[in-house]
Amino acid sequence: MESDSGNGVKAHGYKTIVYIICMVAALGGLLFGLDQGFIANSLDTLTQHYKFEVHDKESYSAILATGGIFGALLSGLFARFLGRKRSLVLAGFIFTAASALSALLPPLPMLSVCRFALGFGVGIASFIVPLYLSETAPAAIRGSMGTLFQLMITIGIFVISLSNVFIARVFIGPTTSLPLMFLTITLFAALMFAGSFILPESPRWLMLKGRKDRAVAVLQRTLGTQAEIDKEIGEIEEALHGPQGAGFGIVFRGYFFKVLLVGVLLQMFQQLVGINMMIYYAPTIFGYAGMTGLIAMMTVPTVNMLFTFPAIHLVEKWGRKKLLYVGAIAMIITMLAAGFAFQSIGSVSDPSLIGDAPKTLLLISVIIYIFGFAVSWGPVVWLVCSEIFPLEGREVGMTITTMINWTFAGLVMNYALSFMSRFGNASIFYVFAGFCVIAILFVAAFVPETKGITLEKLEFNLKKGVRLRNLGNR
Ligand code: BGC
């Protein structure tokens, strides 16, 4: 049984404020997923209302990524000058305002501005939430909070896919269903916006600004005993005397540049293996093969969410590189199989004439492909990018690598469907399979195994000039 120690701390738990911190942070991840997963099952409804052509579909989808690039670029500045809490309030406000405005079904240019703004909010949240958590959540739960963020992204994709299917079926006609789809995002966004007001500011940022008394007051709210508070304050002070966040000039230092390239290429390949073609356009692609209904709409988000759970465990057990290999091999085989399925469909123009064999092959390929990504390249790339940079360049490194992620995500969203219509439906699967092969070679040659090694040791090896691949050697 839990007992209350008198100051709101449960004997076997944390203070209520700690749960609020985690919840708001989880909502940040959820909103990332809600915006990312919104398109797949709303595209038909959007097309009915806005009379989308293929390229309109792509540009409306991809403008989220452009917003993400700018959000990620500016989030470092927001974090430093506004503080962590106010940056989260800002992200919450942008999410709420942009999704509520979209629900009014404004003309397309305005709707696109709103989606750009949502991307901007996602860019801020994906940088600030993990940073805020690492500075504010009690040490014992920091690690699991990091993985919670990734899990919430996939849960967000699942939730919005399901609710969009439900809304489209129950409320016929885009003028009713489309506003409801946007209002679903608004609901969660408003929760995050309201929740972020009651968050305490990050004690580390307060100390950075010389406001020790306020930092102590925050720690009194989140921690149990005076001894814990003194220890935390001591550690922050020590850290503040260590290397501080460097400016963008750090990219010109040889050791940093090398490791930056690893992060940049990892994020580039994370997108060039083709995941967002599936996350965004799976129902459209299944439609090309004559498959509609729940299987076409829900397979990708469901498999994606379910297989992120084992990843959290496997990443520590198997290590990062082994997972990247396994995932990439699964993706190569399944992309080739999906390409083959489309080739055997050939130029059958009436989808109802397509036989069961290519449909089954396509479905199985997509399931195993998503499994391959969810268990490996999805979580591992973000994790490795948070580990490889030396402390003084971590903010810069993560800003740049996050921007690269969004840049290549945008390219895939922007060109996947037109590539298929220009070069044939099978072609794009072979291209992505080719990128998976290059990705494996790159991992083998340059990516260090970071399992079970301290970040300090990685940094020490990097500055000593150890080869990239061996940075994780103890
Ligand atoms: C990727 C996103 C992708 C998501 C799917 C993330 O790791 O960065 O682009 O949509 O995984 O779960």
Side-chain angles (χ1 to χ4, degrees):
M1 252 215 9
E2 289 188 344
S3 63
D4 201 303
S5 64
N7 55 1
V9 191
K10 303 267 190 285
H12 299 294
Y14 296 99
K15 290 188 174 186
T16 317
I17 188 75
V18 172
Y19 292 107
I20 294 178
I21 289 172
C22 298
M23 207 189 78
V24 173
L27 279 172
L30 193 81
L31 280 159
F32 184 138
L34 292 175
D35 289 318
Q36 187 82 321
F38 182 80
I39 293 292
N41 294 340
S42 68
L43 210 47
D44 283 348
T45 318
L46 280 162
T47 303
Q48 282 171 35
H49 188 75
Y50 286 99
K51 313 278 174 278
F52 276 174
E53 298 290 332
V54 169
H55 194 67
D56 299 318
K57 292 183 188 176
E58 290 175 326
S59 16
Y60 179 67
S61 305
I63 199 162
L64 181 88
T66 315
I69 297 173
F70 283 98
L73 177 66
L74 294 180
S75 54
L77 292 179
F78 288 143
R80 202 169 281 191
F81 296 108
L82 282 182
R84 287 36 165 167
K85 173 189 166 141
R86 269 176 282 176
S87 302
L88 283 172
V89 172
L90 177 70
F93 171 76
I94 295 175
F95 283 136
T96 314
S99 48
L101 210 62
S102 304
L104 299 174
L105 306 187
L108 187 56
M110 188 59 202
L111 190 80
S112 302
V113 170
C114 290
R115 188 153 168 88
F116 174 89
L118 286 172
F120 192 76
V122 170
I124 301 178
S126 53
F127 183 86
I128 306 276
V129 171
L131 178 71
Y132 176 78
L133 278 177
S134 70
E135 294 180 347
T136 315
I141 54 171
R142 263 172 217 166
S144 35
M145 285 300 105
T147 43
L148 175 74
F149 186 68
Q150 174 66 24
L151 193 62
M152 290 309 289
I153 296 176
T154 62
I155 294 179
I157 295 175
F158 175 81
V159 167
I160 199 72
S161 302
L162 190 65
S163 74
N164 281 357
V165 169
F166 176 77
I167 291 170
R169 288 186 174 205
V170 174
F171 302 92
I172 309 293
T175 40
T176 324
S177 54
L178 212 43
L180 289 174
M181 291 176 179
F182 283 115
L183 285 175
T184 310
I185 301 188
T186 316
L187 180 77
F188 289 105
L191 264 177
M192 179 188 167
F193 184 42
S196 54
F197 278 101
I198 31 177
L199 288 177
E201 182 47 277
S202 140
R204 194 178 186 285
W205 184 77
L206 289 168
M207 293 284 284
L208 196 71
K209 296 281 159 187
R211 300 187 204 147
K212 186 170 174 180
D213 49 335
R214 282 192 54 200
V216 172
V218 170
L219 291 172
Q220 277 164 348
R221 289 178 67 196
T222 55
L223 295 177
T225 63
Q226 190 58 41
E228 282 175 311
I229 297 170
D230 291 344
K231 183 164 172 269
E232 185 78 21
I233 289 283
E235 280 172 9
I236 298 176
E237 275 173 339
E238 203 174 308
L240 289 181
H241 289 129
Q244 292 307 299
F248 271 86
I250 192 170
V251 300
F252 298 111
R253 289 188 211 157
Y255 68 88
F256 187 83
F257 186 72
K258 273 192 341 197
V259 89
L260 180 64
L261 272 186
V262 172
V264 161
L265 288 170
L266 272 175
Q267 288 287 18
M268 184 184 95
F269 284 121
Q270 195 213 39
Q271 294 301 325
L272 290 183
V273 300
I275 182 61
N276 281 312
M277 174 175 81
M278 291 300 178
I279 297 287
Y280 276 69
Y281 305 128
T284 310
I285 292 171
F286 280 127
Y288 293 161
M291 298 161 82
T292 50
L294 270 188
I295 289 189
M297 290 170 147
M298 290 310 297
T299 300
V300 167
T302 311
V303 177
N304 187 39
M305 179 182 69
L306 290 182
F307 284 102
T308 303
F309 286 95
I312 293 167
H313 170 66
L314 285 177
V315 85
E316 293 306 341
K317 199 165 166 218
W318 287 16
R320 286 57 162 156
K321 287 184 74 160
K322 204 186 272 179
L323 274 182
L324 291 176
Y325 292 138
V326 171
I329 290 170
M331 290 191 286
I332 293 172
I333 297 171
T334 51
M335 281 274 141
L336 293 178
F340 180 74
F342 268 111
Q343 227 160 352
S344 63
I345 291 171
S347 52
V348 180
S349 52
D350 180 355
S352 66
L353 298 178
I354 297 171
D356 281 343
K359 287 185 189 167
T360 312
L361 180 61
L362 181 67
L363 182 63
I364 294 174
S365 306
V366 170
I367 292 176
I368 302 177
Y369 168 85
I370 296 292
F371 152 79
F373 180 87
V375 85
S376 65
W377 284 77
V380 170
V381 169
W382 289 107
L383 178 65
V384 173
C385 284
S386 75
E387 293 175 325
I388 52 176
F389 296 110
L391 188 62
E392 72 271 23
R394 201 160 291 156
E395 279 184 21
V396 173
M398 289 183 69
T399 302
I400 296 178
T401 48
T402 304
M403 285 168 65
I404 294 292
N405 179 282
W406 282 111
T407 306
F408 283 89
L411 281 177
V412 171
M413 293 169 203
N414 221 340
Y415 294 109
L417 293 181
S418 6
F419 193 94
M420 288 177 90
S421 68
R422 176 126 192 239
F423 298 105
N425 287 344
S427 59
I428 194 134
F429 297 96
Y430 299 141
V431 171
F432 288 139
F435 281 124
C436 290
V437 174
I438 309 175
I440 290 184
L441 299 176
F442 158 70
V443 172
F446 299 110
V447 175
E449 175 54 67
T450 52
K451 175 190 141 190
I453 179 159
T454 64
L455 300 188
E456 289 71 25
K457 179 72 185 170
L458 271 176
E459 184 168 339
F460 176 80
N461 285 347
L462 177 70
K463 291 185 175 164
K464 216 174 72 182
V466 172
R467 291 176 68 180
L468 283 170
R469 198 174 41 164
N470 301 328
L471 282 184
N473 292 358
R474 264 165 271 194

